[in-house]
Amino acid sequence: MTASADAQQPSPEPVVTAKAVAQTNTLVAKLWNYCNVLRDNGMSTIEYVEQLSYLLFLKMVDEFENDPWGGRDMSALVPAEYNWKALVGRRGVDLEQHYRDTLEHLGRHPNTTIGTIFAEAQNRITKPALLEKLVVDLIGREEWTVTGTDLKGDAYEGLLNKGASDTKTGAGQYFTPRALIDAMVDVTRPGPDDTITDPACGTAGFLIAAHSYIRDNHMGKMSLDERKAYDEGRKIWGNELVTATARLAAMNMLLHGIGKSDGPSLIHVGDALADKPSGKHATLVLANPPFGRKSAITVIGQDGDVEKEDIQYDRDDFTATTTNKQLNFLQHIMSLTAVGGRAAVVLPDNVLFEGGAGEKVRRKLLEEFDLHTILRLPTGIFYAGGVKANVLFFDKKPPRADGKPHTTETWFYDLRTGQHFTLKQRPLTRAHLDDFVASYRAGEPLSSRVESEDENGPFKKFSYDDLIARDKVNLDITWMKDPALDDADSGLAPEVIAEEIVRDLQSALNEFTAIARSLGAEVDVPEAEVE
């Protein structure tokens, strides 16, 4: 891209230093300590982060307005009677009542970032003394805008990460391991010309990582208008079904310098599957759709079949009719991706082997898209118990005149066999994905890739003919042998072995539950909490 000579170029991005990392960690610890205090009052982690988001927003607006170097008048958005000064000057019951009034007033800004953050907002802090402590001792004593968006944004994301471990509230279902996000972004290489979306964005981890990649690798070559397109969110957006999670995503993006508080909301709230994309496609789709089968839907696809429950999805762009939520998200992403665009999607194993609708979708993916890479993910990296998942990387191509399939070969990288991870004792790190990223050879043709020299190595390719000939086009392929199975003394700690047994049993139970539900049984199996 041509660099602009405009003197109004934004200032250079702050450099991440050891001091900044230490500041971030300190702030996360401080925020988390306050969370522990509020949890004693019966508040969940996610509810605490919601309250933090409301107060952080008001404090940041106050700092912006009092910044002599770049402040802007936001009185129309947050009038004086509801701003930070009006809140921080109160105490006790008066503070609590005014806080409730403030939340109600600020929720009246539909289709804006502030409207997303304060939508249906409620005060969950029932004790005025605790609210006063949060306002005065925590939020009020920090400057949230002076040291750059990264420090405070990373601290907020760190708190969301900790909140994901609150399995009793299901918070983990909205969180993808940052190491996996970074690796997916590194190989898909977002650029200045990309339009980027996540149709199941959770707390916006993929969107923030993609924006960060563009900032770190392309900002110096981009014009002012190109920078603004990303910083103001004109080329990046997400969708989230749950209002409470959408507010966390909107605040997370705002703290990372993406979007404007009084501008259009970059997080659309609603069911992404309800409507087919209309005039707004993305050249890069990054997603980790929620696991599990969605109940209460009717889906009518091109095949004309009907799987009936209560809510209807009339998607004539879907090849197959199914109530399998992951298959529907995959079909939605196939439609959402622009011609010439690419997608990287985390999906559970059943998408690779399920018959019926699953086979129809896989055939279309191989024939009309270039499904060039599948990363088999290890167990023990998600907060949902018993999950076995993969990342599918595919490109959307224009129709071929000769009718031949676009996929010529698919490369599988097995990061699961022989790998043992846990959320606390051995969490997945970016270093664990280095070999996959190197083997992927982003930006180079598939012909440059090299299979593992060892027959038991992790990187192996299969031709289109190999895949289409498999029973039901089953893409759940394994070839590696787990060394632990041949070695009585595997060196694994007993608790790790026990945890993996629990995960395998939970995974099997999940699969049998899905089969039972597909046959019409009403099965409600609580998900195991494995830490």
Side-chain angles (χ1 to χ4, degrees):
M1 294 285 98
T2 303
S4 171
D6 197 324
Q8 298 181 20
Q9 285 280 0
S11 58
E13 295 291 333
V15 177
V16 178
T17 64
K19 181 179 179 181
V21 171
Q23 286 179 296
T24 300
N25 292 339
T26 299
L27 190 52
V28 170
K30 189 173 183 180
L31 293 171
W32 190 247
N33 287 338
Y34 270 81
C35 177
N36 290 333
V37 172
L38 291 169
R39 281 195 298 190
D40 291 339
N41 191 41
M43 186 181 301
S44 73
T45 305
I46 292 300
E47 287 174 333
Y48 163 65
V49 179
E50 280 185 355
Q51 304 302 313
L52 192 69
S53 301
Y54 306 147
L55 297 170
L56 269 177
F57 181 88
L58 292 172
K59 182 64 162 61
M60 287 171 59
V61 168
D62 183 68
E63 291 177 12
F64 280 133
E65 290 189 327
N66 288 281
D67 179 4
W69 299 103
R72 54 197 178 100
D73 183 13
M74 301 186 72
S75 57
L77 192 67
V78 184
E81 60 265 37
Y82 296 110
N83 66 14
W84 178 256
K85 290 184 179 65
L87 189 69
V88 77
R90 288 175 163 80
R91 296 291 184 272
V93 176
D94 183 34
L95 170 63
E96 181 190 12
Q97 183 57 54
H98 188 73
Y99 181 49
R100 293 179 186 277
D101 294 342
T102 300
L103 295 181
E104 181 182 357
H105 174 82
L106 295 179
R108 302 170 185 167
H109 294 268
N111 303 318
T112 64
T113 299
I114 185 175
T116 300
I117 293 173
F118 288 92
E120 303 175 14
Q122 295 183 14
N123 176 26
R124 305 286 186 186
I125 308 173
T126 57
K127 295 182 179 179
L130 289 177
L131 176 61
E132 182 177 323
K133 200 166 191 172
L134 189 60
V135 171
V136 177
D137 294 343
L138 179 58
I139 306 297
R141 290 187 180 178
E142 294 286 343
E143 291 294 317
W144 294 89
T145 60
V146 295
T147 55
T149 59
D150 275 349
L151 174 60
K152 307 310 179 187
D154 287 348
Y156 187 79
E157 194 168 8
L159 188 64
L160 290 174
N161 189 0
K162 282 182 171 289
S165 63
D166 190 356
T167 55
K168 292 182 180 179
T169 63
Q173 67 180 300
Y174 306 114
F175 200 85
T176 306
R178 185 57 191 256
L180 178 58
I181 290 176
D182 288 343
M184 291 170 63
V185 168
D186 285 346
V187 297
T188 53
R189 305 171 72 196
D193 296 329
D194 275 318
T195 50
I196 305 167
T197 192
D198 180 349
C201 69
T203 54
F206 279 113
L207 301 177
I208 290 167
H211 181 271
S212 177
Y213 184 95
I214 293 171
R215 181 199 63 199
D216 294 343
N217 293 277
H218 299 287
M219 280 295 185
K221 302 175 184 178
M222 293 167 64
S223 68
L224 178 61
D225 186 63
E226 287 172 331
R227 293 188 182 199
K228 284 184 175 180
Y230 281 102
D231 288 339
E232 295 177 3
R234 284 182 274 134
K235 298 184 71 173
I236 190 167
W237 74 95
N239 196 98
E240 172 53 43
L241 175 64
V242 181
T243 300
T245 309
R247 84 168 91 256
L248 303 181
M251 192 65 195
N252 200 11
M253 292 182 73
L254 197 64
L255 283 169
H256 281 88
I258 311 171
K260 301 172 65 175
S261 57
D262 53 349
S265 177
L266 308 183
I267 306 298
H268 307 151
V269 184
D271 191 343
L273 301 178
D275 301 295
K276 65 181 181 181
S278 179
K280 193 171 185 180
H281 296 79
T283 61
L284 176 58
V285 181
L286 298 161
N288 178 10
F291 298 141
R293 292 177 64 91
K294 180 180 176 62
S295 59
I297 62 172
T298 298
V299 180
I300 306 174
Q302 292 175 356
D303 53 14
D305 292 340
V306 176
E307 287 199 11
K308 188 173 183 181
E309 293 176 25
D310 294 332
I311 302 173
Q312 179 169 314
Y313 293 157
D314 191 2
R315 295 290 299 264
D316 58 10
D317 55 328
F318 282 9
T319 298
T321 297
T322 177
T323 54
N324 182 308
K325 182 163 51 177
Q326 290 82 38
L327 282 173
N328 283 329
F329 260 108
L330 176 55
Q331 293 187 89
H332 176 69
I333 290 168
M334 290 160 70
S335 292
L336 182 61
T337 307
V339 174
R342 59 213 186 279
V345 191
V346 180
L347 293 165
D349 278 11
N350 71 77
V351 170
L352 299 185
F353 62 74
E354 186 174 292
E359 180 181 350
K360 291 179 183 179
V361 174
R362 290 192 295 276
R363 285 184 181 276
K364 179 174 182 176
L365 192 57
L366 290 169
E367 292 168 4
E368 299 182 21
F369 295 74
D370 182 7
L371 176 61
H372 52 79
T373 311
I374 294 179
L375 169 63
R376 289 173 53 81
L377 293 173
T379 57
I381 66 172
F382 295 105
Y383 287 98
V387 170
K388 292 183 177 179
N390 316 266
V391 185
L392 276 59
F393 297 87
F394 56 88
D395 300 338
K396 188 169 188 174
K397 305 288 187 179
R400 291 182 57 156
D402 58 11
K404 291 183 178 180
H406 280 297
T407 301
T408 57
E409 59 189 33
T410 301
W411 290 75
F412 289 73
Y413 191 99
D414 190 340
L415 190 63
R416 183 183 305 173
T417 304
Q419 300 291 334
H420 308 277
F421 293 93
T422 63
L423 292 174
K424 294 181 179 179
Q425 296 176 330
R426 190 173 187 258
L428 181 74
T429 68
R430 178 59 180 77
H432 291 122
L433 289 149
D434 281 350
D435 186 64
F436 164 72
V437 172
S439 300
Y440 190 102
R441 297 198 176 185
E444 299 180 34
L446 290 182
S447 59
S448 68
R449 292 180 173 180
V450 179
E451 287 187 291
S452 301
E453 293 183 6
D454 184 350
E455 291 184 359
N456 200 43
F459 206 35
K460 188 177 180 65
K461 70 176 177 180
F462 294 83
S463 70
Y464 169 83
D465 291 336
D466 292 334
L467 299 176
I468 209 71
R470 291 175 59 82
D471 182 43
K472 299 179 182 177
V473 195
N474 187 337
L475 301 181
D476 186 27
I477 301 175
T478 60
W479 65 93
M480 295 178 66
K481 295 181 180 179
D482 190 340
L485 298 179
D486 298 326
D487 184 359
D489 184 14
S490 64
L492 295 177
E495 63 270 18
V496 174
I497 296 173
E499 184 175 331
E500 291 194 349
I501 292 173
V502 171
R503 283 205 178 90
D504 286 340
L505 290 173
Q506 182 65 25
S507 178
L509 183 58
N510 291 344
E511 291 176 12
F512 281 121
T513 300
I515 293 172
R517 287 173 178 166
S518 69
L519 296 173
E522 294 185 5
V523 183
D524 185 15
V525 180
E527 191 173 84
E529 293 181 14
V530 182
E531 297 184 3

